[in-house]
Amino acid sequence: MTGPEFSAEQICEACGAKLLLGDEQTTARGVSTDTRSTCEGKAFFALSGPNHDGHDFIQDAAAAGASVVVSEKEIPSKNIAQSNVAFVIVENTLDALTQLASWHRDRLDGVVIGITGSCGKSTVKEIAGAVLAQAGSCTAAPRSFNNRIGVSLSLLGALPTDDYVVLELGANHRGEIDELARIARPDAGCITCIGECHLEGFGGIEGVMEGKAELIPHIAKEGLLVLNGDDRRCRELGSRYPGRTLTFGFEDGADIRPERIKSGRRGELFKVDKHVFHLPLPGSHNVLNASAALCLARWAGVSDHLAIQGLSSVSGPGLRCERRKIGGVDFILDCYNSNPTAMRAACEVLSGTETQGRRIVLCGDMLELGDEAQTLHRETGRLIANSGVDMLLAVGEYADAVMRGWQEASEYPRNAIALPERERAWLFLYRLSRPGDVVLVKGSRLMKLEDIVDSFGQYSAGLSQEVA
């Protein structure tokens, strides 16, 4: 059983709660908020969300072996009352979860790192975790656990004896990073970039900058701030931190300035100072992500030799430049999220991908761009056309805007289709593509463009069975 240990008494102390049933010395190892994952021996927090109420699953959690249940409602059944479960009552389970995470943060002896930015933060987190794990025990946030629940669960998954804890902090409005950083209280922070992302919630690009800057006051004064030296707004934030600052970037003056040697299907070879690194992820943007992680590693005292080993072991987060081959078509699934900055990086990966066929982009909506949405989608169409792409399939509410941009910039204005609805996009994609083509799939998370690729694969597999 993994995870830090908490007693029911400690949970009550951290959350200002009271014990309704059971023994206050009952212990839990780790925390769960979902009965579909392992609950045995853990503290189950019954969170209420838009789709599910965790209180409906308290009995399931107890049956699955949860040792402590944290609830807003005094609803223990007879079965729970007769079990060995400690039942803790709080005013708000989400507040209690974050309070316990903040309390546990004080028990951590290792270096805590907080990573934010408009894009790249999940990848930097994965790379930094892989590199730091070469030098000591390291807990990195699972998947993209970057909101209030995710950051709390990430902290509550770290052991007091960990040498390093790497967290990801996300936001779509002002004040959110401030709240997360108050919980995390990082020793080192990293801002990957400041781009046109969540403009609707932040009120414009300057709002994005100020939102990311909310991390800075919470970084330990004797710690480190890592900034993208190629990003003007990032560079400007350096003056707000009184401690040590390191920058990464391709431009002159960066503390970590990588030199790309070779790029291909196996990833990137690049050099920093006299050392050559292999990163099994494609694209210059991932070289920058690796450089950000190297800033953190060098500050933490990790040798370049160990960093070389760590980088070579990296596997990127799912749906970020994830490669799949279906029916002879090579797919690049980069559809965990999207914004103009991320789209530019993905198109560069597509342009650098060797193929004997054509390059096709399946472009979904970039969400939360506010009043700039039409303009930015139109500019994205031009960007795609100028990236050596042969065909475009645009899907979603802004598909017409993307197609108009394509038509304004492409030598082949008719090689584009706009589909406001995504239900039959897989069929259009199947008819457009042929073996040997490479298809970039890029859109915001809510578009779920991977479903289109799954339907494409199912149809292709069905046809293959019929032929056989």
PDB file of all heavy atoms in Angstrom, residues 170-177 197-203 208 212 368:
ATOM      1  N   GLY A 170      -2.513  24.764 -13.016  1.00  0.00           N
ATOM      2  CA  GLY A 170      -3.248  25.275 -14.163  1.00  0.00           C
ATOM      3  C   GLY A 170      -4.279  26.303 -13.744  1.00  0.00           C
ATOM      4  O   GLY A 170      -4.658  26.392 -12.576  1.00  0.00           O
ATOM      5  N   ALA A 171      -4.742  27.085 -14.706  1.00  0.00           N
ATOM      6  CA  ALA A 171      -5.742  28.115 -14.398  1.00  0.00           C
ATOM      7  C   ALA A 171      -6.434  28.547 -15.675  1.00  0.00           C
ATOM      8  O   ALA A 171      -5.845  28.520 -16.762  1.00  0.00           O
ATOM      9  CB  ALA A 171      -5.078  29.321 -13.734  1.00  0.00           C
ATOM     10  N   ASN A 172      -7.691  28.993 -15.534  1.00  0.00           N
ATOM     11  CA  ASN A 172      -8.374  29.631 -16.651  1.00  0.00           C
ATOM     12  C   ASN A 172      -8.961  30.985 -16.253  1.00  0.00           C
ATOM     13  O   ASN A 172      -9.741  31.567 -16.998  1.00  0.00           O
ATOM     14  CB  ASN A 172      -9.462  28.723 -17.236  1.00  0.00           C
ATOM     15  CG  ASN A 172     -10.501  28.310 -16.208  1.00  0.00           C
ATOM     16  OD1 ASN A 172     -10.647  28.933 -15.165  1.00  0.00           O
ATOM     17  ND2 ASN A 172     -11.226  27.244 -16.510  1.00  0.00           N
ATOM     18  N   HIS A 173      -8.576  31.484 -15.067  1.00  0.00           N
ATOM     19  CA  HIS A 173      -9.006  32.814 -14.646  1.00  0.00           C
ATOM     20  C   HIS A 173      -8.067  33.320 -13.558  1.00  0.00           C
ATOM     21  O   HIS A 173      -7.313  32.556 -12.957  1.00  0.00           O
ATOM     22  CB  HIS A 173     -10.459  32.799 -14.142  1.00  0.00           C
ATOM     23  CG  HIS A 173     -10.678  31.884 -12.978  1.00  0.00           C
ATOM     24  ND1 HIS A 173     -11.081  30.577 -13.125  1.00  0.00           N
ATOM     25  CD2 HIS A 173     -10.549  32.082 -11.630  1.00  0.00           C
ATOM     26  CE1 HIS A 173     -11.201  30.012 -11.935  1.00  0.00           C
ATOM     27  NE2 HIS A 173     -10.868  30.897 -11.023  1.00  0.00           N
ATOM     28  N   ARG A 174      -8.123  34.619 -13.323  1.00  0.00           N
ATOM     29  CA  ARG A 174      -7.268  35.245 -12.318  1.00  0.00           C
ATOM     30  C   ARG A 174      -7.603  34.702 -10.939  1.00  0.00           C
ATOM     31  O   ARG A 174      -8.751  34.408 -10.620  1.00  0.00           O
ATOM     32  CB  ARG A 174      -7.457  36.773 -12.338  1.00  0.00           C
ATOM     33  CG  ARG A 174      -6.943  37.468 -13.583  1.00  0.00           C
ATOM     34  CD  ARG A 174      -5.426  37.548 -13.596  1.00  0.00           C
ATOM     35  NE  ARG A 174      -4.919  38.331 -12.480  1.00  0.00           N
ATOM     36  CZ  ARG A 174      -4.805  39.653 -12.475  1.00  0.00           C
ATOM     37  NH1 ARG A 174      -5.172  40.354 -13.550  1.00  0.00           N
ATOM     38  NH2 ARG A 174      -4.298  40.280 -11.426  1.00  0.00           N
ATOM     39  N   GLY A 175      -6.589  34.596 -10.099  1.00  0.00           N
ATOM     40  CA  GLY A 175      -6.759  34.146  -8.729  1.00  0.00           C
ATOM     41  C   GLY A 175      -6.568  32.661  -8.529  1.00  0.00           C
ATOM     42  O   GLY A 175      -6.343  32.214  -7.401  1.00  0.00           O
ATOM     43  N   GLU A 176      -6.644  31.887  -9.614  1.00  0.00           N
ATOM     44  CA  GLU A 176      -6.573  30.430  -9.467  1.00  0.00           C
ATOM     45  C   GLU A 176      -5.160  29.962  -9.147  1.00  0.00           C
ATOM     46  O   GLU A 176      -4.966  29.108  -8.273  1.00  0.00           O
ATOM     47  CB  GLU A 176      -7.087  29.757 -10.742  1.00  0.00           C
ATOM     48  CG  GLU A 176      -7.421  28.301 -10.565  1.00  0.00           C
ATOM     49  CD  GLU A 176      -8.185  27.716 -11.739  1.00  0.00           C
ATOM     50  OE1 GLU A 176      -8.464  28.455 -12.711  1.00  0.00           O
ATOM     51  OE2 GLU A 176      -8.495  26.511 -11.688  1.00  0.00           O
ATOM     52  N   ILE A 177      -4.152  30.509  -9.832  1.00  0.00           N
ATOM     53  CA  ILE A 177      -2.765  30.139  -9.535  1.00  0.00           C
ATOM     54  C   ILE A 177      -2.402  30.573  -8.114  1.00  0.00           C
ATOM     55  O   ILE A 177      -1.711  29.844  -7.387  1.00  0.00           O
ATOM     56  CB  ILE A 177      -1.796  30.771 -10.551  1.00  0.00           C
ATOM     57  CG1 ILE A 177      -2.025  30.190 -11.958  1.00  0.00           C
ATOM     58  CG2 ILE A 177      -0.342  30.547 -10.134  1.00  0.00           C
ATOM     59  CD1 ILE A 177      -1.699  28.733 -12.084  1.00  0.00           C
ATOM     60  N   CYS A 197      -4.173  31.876 -24.334  1.00  0.00           N
ATOM     61  CA  CYS A 197      -4.864  30.709 -23.792  1.00  0.00           C
ATOM     62  C   CYS A 197      -5.830  31.163 -22.707  1.00  0.00           C
ATOM     63  O   CYS A 197      -5.455  31.976 -21.854  1.00  0.00           O
ATOM     64  CB  CYS A 197      -3.843  29.719 -23.237  1.00  0.00           C
ATOM     65  SG  CYS A 197      -4.537  28.176 -22.641  1.00  0.00           S
ATOM     66  N   HIS A 198      -7.067  30.663 -22.721  1.00  0.00           N
ATOM     67  CA  HIS A 198      -8.083  31.046 -21.729  1.00  0.00           C
ATOM     68  C   HIS A 198      -8.257  32.566 -21.691  1.00  0.00           C
ATOM     69  O   HIS A 198      -8.437  33.158 -20.620  1.00  0.00           O
ATOM     70  CB  HIS A 198      -7.700  30.533 -20.338  1.00  0.00           C
ATOM     71  CG  HIS A 198      -7.474  29.060 -20.271  1.00  0.00           C
ATOM     72  ND1 HIS A 198      -8.448  28.134 -20.597  1.00  0.00           N
ATOM     73  CD2 HIS A 198      -6.383  28.337 -19.917  1.00  0.00           C
ATOM     74  CE1 HIS A 198      -7.968  26.913 -20.441  1.00  0.00           C
ATOM     75  NE2 HIS A 198      -6.713  27.008 -20.040  1.00  0.00           N
ATOM     76  N   LEU A 199      -8.230  33.199 -22.863  1.00  0.00           N
ATOM     77  CA  LEU A 199      -8.365  34.659 -22.909  1.00  0.00           C
ATOM     78  C   LEU A 199      -9.706  35.114 -22.354  1.00  0.00           C
ATOM     79  O   LEU A 199      -9.819  36.200 -21.781  1.00  0.00           O
ATOM     80  CB  LEU A 199      -8.210  35.159 -24.352  1.00  0.00           C
ATOM     81  CG  LEU A 199      -6.843  34.934 -25.013  1.00  0.00           C
ATOM     82  CD1 LEU A 199      -6.858  35.488 -26.422  1.00  0.00           C
ATOM     83  CD2 LEU A 199      -5.727  35.573 -24.195  1.00  0.00           C
ATOM     84  N   GLU A 200     -10.725  34.285 -22.527  1.00  0.00           N
ATOM     85  CA  GLU A 200     -12.054  34.634 -22.045  1.00  0.00           C
ATOM     86  C   GLU A 200     -12.052  34.828 -20.530  1.00  0.00           C
ATOM     87  O   GLU A 200     -12.614  35.785 -19.997  1.00  0.00           O
ATOM     88  CB  GLU A 200     -13.041  33.530 -22.437  1.00  0.00           C
ATOM     89  CG  GLU A 200     -14.493  33.849 -22.163  1.00  0.00           C
ATOM     90  CD  GLU A 200     -15.413  32.792 -22.734  1.00  0.00           C
ATOM     91  OE1 GLU A 200     -14.982  31.625 -22.903  1.00  0.00           O
ATOM     92  OE2 GLU A 200     -16.566  33.126 -23.019  1.00  0.00           O
ATOM     93  N   GLY A 201     -11.400  33.904 -19.814  1.00  0.00           N
ATOM     94  CA  GLY A 201     -11.372  33.989 -18.359  1.00  0.00           C
ATOM     95  C   GLY A 201     -10.392  35.018 -17.834  1.00  0.00           C
ATOM     96  O   GLY A 201     -10.639  35.662 -16.803  1.00  0.00           O
ATOM     97  N   PHE A 202      -9.260  35.198 -18.552  1.00  0.00           N
ATOM     98  CA  PHE A 202      -8.231  36.121 -18.087  1.00  0.00           C
ATOM     99  C   PHE A 202      -8.450  37.553 -18.569  1.00  0.00           C
ATOM    100  O   PHE A 202      -7.804  38.475 -18.076  1.00  0.00           O
ATOM    101  CB  PHE A 202      -6.848  35.650 -18.532  1.00  0.00           C
ATOM    102  CG  PHE A 202      -6.296  34.514 -17.719  1.00  0.00           C
ATOM    103  CD1 PHE A 202      -6.190  33.245 -18.254  1.00  0.00           C
ATOM    104  CD2 PHE A 202      -5.894  34.712 -16.412  1.00  0.00           C
ATOM    105  CE1 PHE A 202      -5.675  32.187 -17.508  1.00  0.00           C
ATOM    106  CE2 PHE A 202      -5.379  33.680 -15.647  1.00  0.00           C
ATOM    107  CZ  PHE A 202      -5.272  32.407 -16.206  1.00  0.00           C
ATOM    108  N   GLY A 203      -9.314  37.721 -19.583  1.00  0.00           N
ATOM    109  CA  GLY A 203      -9.587  39.067 -20.075  1.00  0.00           C
ATOM    110  C   GLY A 203      -8.526  39.617 -21.003  1.00  0.00           C
ATOM    111  O   GLY A 203      -8.397  40.836 -21.147  1.00  0.00           O
ATOM    112  N   VAL A 208      -3.490  37.035 -18.789  1.00  0.00           N
ATOM    113  CA  VAL A 208      -2.792  35.750 -18.715  1.00  0.00           C
ATOM    114  C   VAL A 208      -1.453  35.928 -18.013  1.00  0.00           C
ATOM    115  O   VAL A 208      -1.083  35.152 -17.124  1.00  0.00           O
ATOM    116  CB  VAL A 208      -2.582  35.154 -20.128  1.00  0.00           C
ATOM    117  CG1 VAL A 208      -1.763  33.868 -20.045  1.00  0.00           C
ATOM    118  CG2 VAL A 208      -3.920  34.878 -20.803  1.00  0.00           C
ATOM    119  N   LYS A 212      -0.336  34.089 -14.456  1.00  0.00           N
ATOM    120  CA  LYS A 212       0.825  33.220 -14.257  1.00  0.00           C
ATOM    121  C   LYS A 212       1.770  33.806 -13.211  1.00  0.00           C
ATOM    122  O   LYS A 212       2.421  33.072 -12.451  1.00  0.00           O
ATOM    123  CB  LYS A 212       1.575  33.002 -15.577  1.00  0.00           C
ATOM    124  CG  LYS A 212       0.731  32.421 -16.700  1.00  0.00           C
ATOM    125  CD  LYS A 212       0.007  31.166 -16.289  1.00  0.00           C
ATOM    126  CE  LYS A 212      -0.870  30.636 -17.399  1.00  0.00           C
ATOM    127  NZ  LYS A 212      -1.712  29.487 -16.954  1.00  0.00           N
ATOM    128  N   GLU A 368     -12.308  28.994 -25.194  1.00  0.00           N
ATOM    129  CA  GLU A 368     -12.063  30.013 -24.169  1.00  0.00           C
ATOM    130  C   GLU A 368     -11.166  31.152 -24.661  1.00  0.00           C
ATOM    131  O   GLU A 368     -10.332  31.664 -23.916  1.00  0.00           O
ATOM    132  CB  GLU A 368     -11.463  29.388 -22.908  1.00  0.00           C
ATOM    133  CG  GLU A 368     -12.366  28.349 -22.252  1.00  0.00           C
ATOM    134  CD  GLU A 368     -11.767  27.788 -20.974  1.00  0.00           C
ATOM    135  OE1 GLU A 368     -11.306  28.588 -20.131  1.00  0.00           O
ATOM    136  OE2 GLU A 368     -11.763  26.557 -20.820  1.00  0.00           O
TER     137      GLU A 368
END
